[in-house]
Each structure stands twice: as C-alpha cells, then as structure tokens.
C-alpha cells in the first residue's frame, strides 16, 4: 500500500486535485448502496478520467463510476469505495452525423437531453430508457432497455463504438469510428452490463433511426387467471403466450408487446405498439387480432404505465423464453407475496416489484421458489434492487453458467480489483 493511502487524506487529496479535475470530499448523499466514498471527482474529458484512474492505481484506490445515479442502488454494495467518479461533466454530444444515422456522445449525457438533440434532426436512439435522468454511461453499464427492445434490440445492439478507461488509466476504444482495439476484445459487449467493474465508459457511438411519423398503441385486458388447482396453485393465464406469439409473427410488425399485471389475482393488460408507415391500418389489424382475447382499443398515446418500471425496490427481473412466459407468470403468482409484474412478453423479460414492507423470510422464499419454478422453463430471476437486509438473504444473480469466463475477464481488465469491486455477478 502506498504511504499516502494509510497516513492521511490531505496529501492524496492534493494529488487528486493536481490532475486538474474538480475533487471534493464525499458527503452522506454520495453513498453507493450504503458505502460512503472518500472523495468525489468530476472529470470533463476522457483524459481526465485516465489521469484519475492512473493515480488511483498508484495508490490502490477503489473507483466507482456514477452517472445520473438513477440505478446506483442496483446491484450489491461495492466491497470498498474510495473515489466516486461522477460523469456529469462528461456531457457533450461530440458528433452527430445525421446523414449516416450515427451519434457519438460522452457518457454523462442524459438520454433525455440526447433525445432532444436528435429530435431536432428527426432522429432518435430507440432505447426507451425507463428512468428519467439516466445517462448514456449508466444505461450501458446496467444494460437497461425498454419496450422497443423487441424491434430495435438493447443498448449493446445499438452501440457501434465505445471509449473506455481501464483500471490502470489506459484509454481503449473499439467498434465504429475505431482508433484502436484492445487485444481483439469487443469492448462494447463486455462493458454493457458490467456495472462499472471493468473500467469507466467515457464515450459511446450509436446507430440511430428516423423518428416514425405515426405511432399507435393497441391495448386489451386479458381474461383473469383460472381457478386454483387442487394444490392451491393459480390457474393458467389464458392466452398470454398465444397472443404474444401471434403478435410477434404478425405482418403488422409491432415494435413492442408489453404486459402490465398490477394484481396477480386479477386480469393483466397487454399492449402493442405499431409505428411508421400505415400505422393506422396496421393498428386496426393488430386490434382485430387482440380482439379475440377481449375488448381491444387503439390510441395515439401510450397507456400510463408504458415504458416504466413496476416499482423501485425490491425490484427483480425475470427472463424466460417468450413461449414460456405464461408458465413463468403462473409460477410468480403461485409463490406470493403480492407482486406487480410489467415488461416485454415478446422478449420474455419482465420486471417484478414486491411490496416495500415485504419481510425477509417471505422475500427469500419468493426468490428461491420462483427460481425453482423457472428452472424447468429455462428461465432465471435476478434481484436488481433490494434493501441490504433483504438482499443478503439471497444470491442476487442466481446460477450463472458463464461465471468462470466472467472472472477471467475481470482478472484481465482489473487484476487489482479496484473498479467497482463486488458490484457484479459472483462478487466480481
């Protein structure tokens, strides 16, 4: 350990400030999942991030990047946190090549402000981020995506280039508008969903789409679940699987197919989005298809719940093959406590919000039972956010077959375990 690290903060504070970056002492509001950092730094360029991480490597400081802070409570607490690296100063749109449908931005740009910039040229980044104030870097680090993931894919699918700063201060770039690659790694795919454990994302380039000229939402309230079976398990959820598959294969080509189920004892709502040319006619075709399951309606505005999370915490994410969504939902309903479910039935990715006052034993039992039920369906359940007292009762991620490979990647990129240590799968 460097002498400065153990004998006092003032010399190291001065060293951090000598990088030219604004650095301040951390306060209670800067805690990361309950762990208070020592300093907060606000760099404005990739080079400043590199200078900070280089100095952190020299003094064995643990670094945690933060963007808008909208998902800072997701994932486990870091094992330690010396320097909170706030990317709010990395807030520039560096290049918008509208003719090429490409934009390059710094990581601290919020998706809201980016949408405004792109809309001025009639273009958009088709991600539907569910949390206002989220930054580009935060969206990539947590692999967040909204309803239109069904048509356009997730952040990693729209990402064509990325600039990152590694734990030793090395600046690396890959993908579109590439300067150099790092030993053949696809940095965009590696860093998307890495929770800041491999390095700091400082810039990203995305492919864009024209904003559709017309959009229509079609909603239908599905039949309520059938009566419980002899073992007390909820009855089947009529039609959800079949409707999702019919819509996904429809020539009307919906961009999103979402479900909202606020009360597992009652009927869920399914909504689909069609956009672009002849949206009105295509919406009528979708309405006719959905009308076989209930009274379907067409609107030019989304339902109020569209593109939002079902709750804050405890918040879990279920993943299953779309053809097994109905069985997965029945498993969720069978194991209470009361939950609110929302998400993409076409992609098989749904979020589950539990009551904020759920007791620890009920929470652990729910996670364990649902995972057991999802296993035969080829699905999984992740705890995105939960108070520490609840989360410590379970494995947040559940079984992950790729964990050995992920550990080797962590060792390659951050052998000193200084980048958001412990924030990802298996304590990575």
């Amino acid at each position: 350990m460097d002498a400065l690290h153990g004998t006092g903060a003032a010399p190291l504070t001065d060293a951090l400030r000598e990088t030219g970056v604004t650095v301040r002492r951390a306060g209670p509001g800067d805690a990361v999942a309950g762990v208070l950092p020592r300093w907060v730094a606000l760099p404005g360029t990739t080079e400043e991030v590199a200078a900070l991480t280089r100095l952190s490597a020299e003094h064995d400081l643990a670094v945690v990047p933060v963007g808008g802070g909208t998902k800072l409570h997701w994932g486990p607490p870091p094992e330690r946190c010396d320097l909170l690296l706030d990317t709010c100063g990395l807030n520039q749109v560096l290049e918008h090549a509208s003719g090429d449908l490409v934009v390059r931005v710094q990581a601290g740009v919020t998706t809201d402000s980016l949408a405004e910039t792109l809309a001025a040229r009639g273009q958009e980044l088709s991600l539907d981020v569910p949390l206002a104030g989220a930054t580009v870097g935060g969206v990539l680090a947590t692999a967040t995506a909204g309803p239109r993931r069904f048509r356009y894919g997730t952040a990693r699918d729209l990402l064509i280039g990325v600039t990152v700063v590694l734990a030793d201060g090395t600046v690396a770039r890959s993908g579109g508008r590439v300067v150099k690659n790092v030993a053949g790694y696809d940095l965009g795919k590696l860093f998307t969903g890495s929770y800041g454990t491999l390095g700091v994302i400082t810039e990203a380039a995305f492919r864009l789409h024209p904003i559709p000229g017309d959009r229509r939402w079609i909603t239908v309230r599905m039949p309520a679940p059938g009566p419980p079976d002899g073992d007390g398990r909820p009855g089947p959820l009529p039609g959800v699987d079949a409707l999702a598959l019919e819509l996904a294969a429809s020539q009307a080509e919906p961009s999103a197919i979402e479900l909202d189920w606020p009360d597992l004892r009652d009927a869920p709502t399914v909504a689909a989005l069609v956009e672009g040319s002849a949206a009105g006619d295509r919406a009528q075709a979708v309405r006719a298809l959905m009308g076989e399951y209930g009274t379907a309606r067409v609107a030019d505005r989304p339902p109020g719940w569209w593109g939002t999370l079902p709750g804050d915490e405890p918040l879990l994410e279920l993943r299953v093959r779309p053809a097994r969504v109905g069985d997965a939902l029945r498993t969720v309903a069978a194991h209470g406590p009361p939950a609110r479910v929302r998400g993409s039935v076409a992609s098989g990715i749904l979020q589950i919000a539990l009551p904020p006052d759920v007791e620890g034993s009920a929470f652990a039992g729910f996670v364990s039972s649902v995972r057991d039920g999802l296993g035969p369906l080829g699905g999984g359940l992740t705890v995105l956010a939960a108070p520490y007292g609840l989360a410590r009762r379970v494995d947040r991620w559940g079984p992950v077959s790729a964990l050995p490979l992920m550990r080797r990647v962590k060792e390659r990129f951050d052998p000193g375990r200084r980048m958001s240590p412990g924030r990802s799968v298996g304590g990575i």
Side-chain angles (χ1 to χ4, degrees):
M1 179 185 295
D2 186 276
L4 291 176
H5 191 258
T7 58
L12 189 46
T13 302
D14 292 341
L16 287 167
R17 288 174 175 158
E18 285 171 4
T19 62
V21 180
T22 299
V23 177
R24 63 173 173 81
R25 276 289 187 179
D30 299 310
V32 182
V35 178
L36 186 64
R38 300 165 70 185
W39 301 275
V40 178
L42 297 97
T45 65
T46 295
E47 290 70 27
E48 289 184 348
V49 174
L52 289 167
T53 52
R54 195 176 303 118
L55 185 69
S56 297
E58 293 171 359
H59 298 283
D60 190 33
L61 302 182
V63 178
V64 176
V66 58
T70 57
K71 299 174 287 298
L72 203 55
H73 60 302
W74 287 21
E79 294 169 3
R80 59 190 180 107
C81 179
D82 296 302
L83 180 65
L84 188 68
L85 203 156
D86 190 332
T87 63
C88 67
L90 294 161
N91 56 9
Q92 301 299 309
V93 176
L94 301 172
E95 181 183 8
H96 180 195
S98 57
D100 295 332
L101 289 168
V102 169
V103 69
R104 185 168 63 90
V105 300
Q106 290 185 302
V109 171
T110 66
T111 54
D112 303 321
S113 65
L114 177 59
E116 290 182 11
T117 299
L118 299 177
R121 299 284 188 88
Q123 297 179 353
E124 65 175 6
L125 177 61
S126 306
L127 269 178
D128 300 332
V129 176
L131 293 165
T135 61
V136 166
V139 168
L140 288 171
T142 54
T144 313
R148 289 188 295 167
R149 68 192 314 156
F150 173 61
R151 177 170 182 177
Y152 298 100
T154 62
R156 62 183 286 171
D157 300 308
L158 296 168
L159 185 68
I160 60 173
V162 68
T163 299
V164 301
V165 177
L166 305 182
D168 62 357
T170 299
V171 177
R173 299 177 171 90
S174 75
R177 296 166 193 271
V178 64
V179 177
K180 71 171 185 177
N181 251 319
V182 176
Y185 287 101
D186 186 333
L187 295 180
K189 286 186 169 53
L190 281 181
F191 275 68
T192 301
S194 66
Y195 278 72
T197 58
L198 299 180
V200 185
I201 300 169
T202 60
E203 297 177 14
F206 296 97
R207 63 186 172 96
L208 306 173
H209 292 88
I211 296 177
D214 194 3
R215 285 178 173 141
R216 306 294 171 89
W217 285 262
I218 310 95
T219 59
V220 63
R221 193 167 193 225
M222 302 293 290
D229 60 22
D231 297 325
R233 286 170 51 86
L237 196 58
V240 170
D241 291 338
L243 176 58
L245 292 174
E246 287 183 59
L247 287 171
S250 168
Q251 293 185 352
E253 297 183 342
S255 298
I257 306 166
E258 296 281 298
L259 174 140
D260 182 44
W261 199 9
D263 183 344
L264 303 187
R265 299 163 299 183
D266 203 350
T269 297
V270 172
L273 165 67
V274 293
E275 53 185 355
S277 62
D281 293 340
R282 290 159 54 214
Q284 292 304 322
V286 171
R287 186 182 68 81
L289 194 158
M290 296 173 76
E292 297 178 8
Y293 296 86
T295 303
R297 295 181 172 84
V298 179
D300 58 5
R301 292 181 179 277
W305 52 267
W306 182 269
T308 63
L309 296 171
D312 185 21
E313 63 178 6
L315 182 68
L316 304 92
E317 185 167 271
L318 180 157
R319 292 180 177 247
V320 70
R321 287 184 289 119
R324 306 306 300 270
V325 163
D327 292 332
L329 291 173
R330 190 183 180 209
T331 296
V332 171
H335 295 290
R340 181 172 190 131
V341 182
R342 186 178 296 161
S344 174
V345 288
S347 300
I349 301 173
L350 301 109
Q351 284 77 42
I352 304 168
L354 298 180
D357 58 352
V358 62
E359 294 183 353
S361 57
F363 175 78
F366 176 79
V367 172
S368 175
S369 299
V370 172
R371 279 180 178 157
D372 289 344
L374 291 176
L377 306 178
L381 186 72
T382 299
V383 179
L384 293 179
Y388 179 72
L390 293 182
R392 66 182 178 81
R393 290 173 169 266
V394 301
D395 177 352
R396 285 179 179 260
W397 310 91
V400 178
S401 60
L403 185 56
L405 175 61
M406 296 170 73
R407 291 192 192 282
R408 290 198 295 274
V409 171
K410 173 69 172 178
E411 176 64 23
R412 165 67 178 82
F413 281 83
D414 182 24
R417 294 185 57 77
R418 289 188 297 272
M419 300 305 305
S420 303
R423 292 278 277 165
S424 188
V425 181
I428 287 176

